[in-house]
Amino acid sequence: MTNLQVKNLVQSAHKLLQQKQYAAAASLYEQAYSLQPDNKAVGRQLVYCFHAAHLDERAFVILQDSWEQYLATIADTKLLIEVVLARPDFISALQILTAVQWEDAVEKARLQQLIVQQQKLYAQTHAQQQQQIYQQILQILTLPLTQQVTVAANLHFLSREDFLQTVQLLLDNPYLHPMIKASLCEDLVKLKEKSVFTINYYGKQCHFRPQEYPLIAHLKSLTEMLSLLADHHELNADFVNDLQAEITLYAALLYPFTDIVITQPKLWLLMILQHFGLEKTVQTLEKDAKAGKVDMWLNKFDELLDLFN
């Protein structure tokens, strides 16, 4: 019955689409998509209709969890970039272009030029807002932490060149929260930036070349800890989910050098479980210098995460 409903809705939506009644067609595609949320074809048509009807925020909601599906063909990537540009998010648009699965140098150049042109136009029409971003960057430590996060996110309104310069300024700041720095570093990794950046990493001046680093989700140490955690069948499933999120946060707080710090994922997981009162290993690990160092980091993480609460 559901398949028949979806078929009828799609047929009716297609007729409206041919008549360029995009909002009306989107309404029917949305009904079909709610019945079959895994139907990629319907989801794609829904995104297209939302975009054509200038309802890009609604289109973006659909795209949020399915970006990779739009990287295989030029037409899909173009649609994805156009929706992202409407937000406007020029850095994410450039990141999408670096992640495409198709090869067409001419089309890539066209899309890159589209992004550059849109950003220049935005800069001209929103000069005051752009100036405000620069002012907030200079005063970022005087702002509440939640507002600092927003300021960092607003860097996506800038051109690539201005974005890179501003990110470098923030990474050098010894007092900026590590979670914000991690987000900025991951932005650079998504851009596959080849330049070497400096970062004040917990009081130490370090260098990193973003192109050579994985995204947080692909960190070797994180992947191994999550895999080891899955073997603890005695733990409640809901608690495991919460613990997975917590461990991911820990990995982010150490980014981009997470894999350099977490060289023994098994020990880290053991200490994390102990940290949450799930392992009685204090006596066996109390003389272990490596365990003591992990415990020091975990206490540091608690302090840093408390700042967001």
Side-chain angles (χ1 to χ4, degrees):
M1 185 63 180
T2 298
N3 289 339
L4 181 59
Q5 285 179 291
V6 170
K7 182 179 179 180
N8 291 336
L9 286 166
V10 168
Q11 287 177 344
S12 298
H14 183 65
K15 291 178 182 178
L16 291 170
L17 182 57
Q18 289 180 316
Q19 299 168 15
K20 297 185 178 181
Q21 297 184 41
Y22 301 117
S27 178
L28 295 181
Y29 278 125
E30 191 169 26
Q31 292 178 50
Y33 190 65
S34 68
L35 293 171
Q36 289 184 349
D38 294 328
N39 191 318
K40 297 179 182 179
V42 172
R44 201 270 185 200
Q45 289 298 87
L46 176 57
V47 169
Y48 175 80
C49 288
F50 274 147
H51 175 58
H54 305 291
L55 299 170
D56 290 287
E57 282 302 319
R58 296 182 69 180
F60 186 76
V61 171
I62 305 297
L63 288 168
Q64 272 184 313
D65 298 321
S66 57
W67 279 33
E68 290 187 358
Q69 297 175 18
Y70 291 77
L71 301 177
T73 69
I74 294 173
D76 282 354
T77 300
K78 184 173 183 292
L79 174 60
L80 173 59
I81 286 177
E82 287 177 351
V83 170
V84 170
L85 288 177
R87 305 200 71 206
D89 187 337
F90 307 106
I91 298 303
S92 286
L94 289 169
Q95 290 170 344
I96 290 166
L97 204 52
T98 67
V100 294
Q101 299 164 6
W102 46 269
E103 290 295 335
D104 188 321
V106 173
E107 201 58 42
K108 282 184 180 179
R110 285 176 183 168
L111 287 174
Q112 184 160 11
Q113 186 60 27
L114 171 65
I115 296 168
V116 172
Q117 288 175 344
Q118 292 283 350
Q119 198 286 321
K120 286 182 178 178
L121 178 61
Y122 181 84
Q124 292 171 0
T125 57
H126 294 76
Q128 186 175 355
Q129 183 183 16
Q130 296 248 305
Q131 189 59 39
Q132 184 180 21
I133 292 174
Y134 295 124
Q135 290 174 349
Q136 289 178 325
I137 289 298
L138 295 175
Q139 303 168 355
I140 192 166
L141 294 179
T142 67
L143 303 173
L145 191 54
T146 52
Q147 196 170 342
Q148 291 181 32
V149 173
T150 300
V151 170
N154 286 345
L155 297 187
H156 278 223
F157 298 156
L158 303 178
S159 67
R160 182 188 182 115
E161 182 181 80
D162 289 344
F163 174 80
L164 296 179
Q165 291 177 354
T166 310
V167 165
Q168 180 59 84
L169 180 67
L170 290 174
L171 292 180
D172 280 333
N173 191 321
Y175 304 108
L176 190 67
H177 197 286
M179 192 65 79
I180 298 177
K181 288 186 179 181
S183 175
L184 297 173
C185 287
E186 192 165 48
D187 268 336
L188 295 174
V189 172
K190 289 178 182 177
L191 284 171
K192 298 182 180 179
E193 181 57 41
K194 299 177 182 179
S195 305
V196 176
F197 286 76
T198 59
I199 175 174
N200 189 296
Y201 186 77
Y202 292 97
K204 295 181 180 179
Q205 199 72 6
C206 300
H207 297 80
F208 86 108
R209 192 186 302 272
Q211 189 184 40
E212 299 174 356
Y213 285 77
L215 297 174
I216 292 173
H218 301 153
L219 288 165
K220 180 181 177 181
S221 54
L222 174 61
T223 301
E224 188 169 342
M225 282 193 292
L226 294 179
S227 177
L228 290 168
L229 178 62
D231 293 334
H232 284 264
H233 303 294
E234 76 281 3
L235 299 178
N236 176 276
D238 289 336
F239 185 77
V240 168
N241 290 335
D242 291 340
L243 206 53
Q244 287 173 338
E246 197 76 10
I247 291 172
T248 302
L249 281 175
Y250 295 164
L253 285 167
L254 290 170
Y255 195 71
F257 305 119
T258 312
D259 285 341
I260 297 174
V261 176
I262 303 180
T263 57
Q264 294 181 286
K266 186 174 182 179
L267 173 62
W268 270 77
L269 179 61
L270 186 65
M271 293 299 297
I272 290 170
L273 292 174
Q274 176 181 298
H275 199 68
F276 284 89
L278 299 172
E279 289 283 348
K280 305 299 182 182
T281 58
V282 177
Q283 292 182 350
T284 58
L285 292 176
E286 62 183 356
K287 295 182 180 179
D288 189 325
K290 292 180 180 179
K293 193 169 183 178
V294 175
D295 194 52
M296 177 197 72
W297 276 115
L298 295 179
N299 290 329
K300 181 68 173 176
F301 296 159
D302 285 345
E303 295 174 9
L304 291 170
L305 293 174
D306 281 344
L307 295 175
F308 277 99
N309 298 327

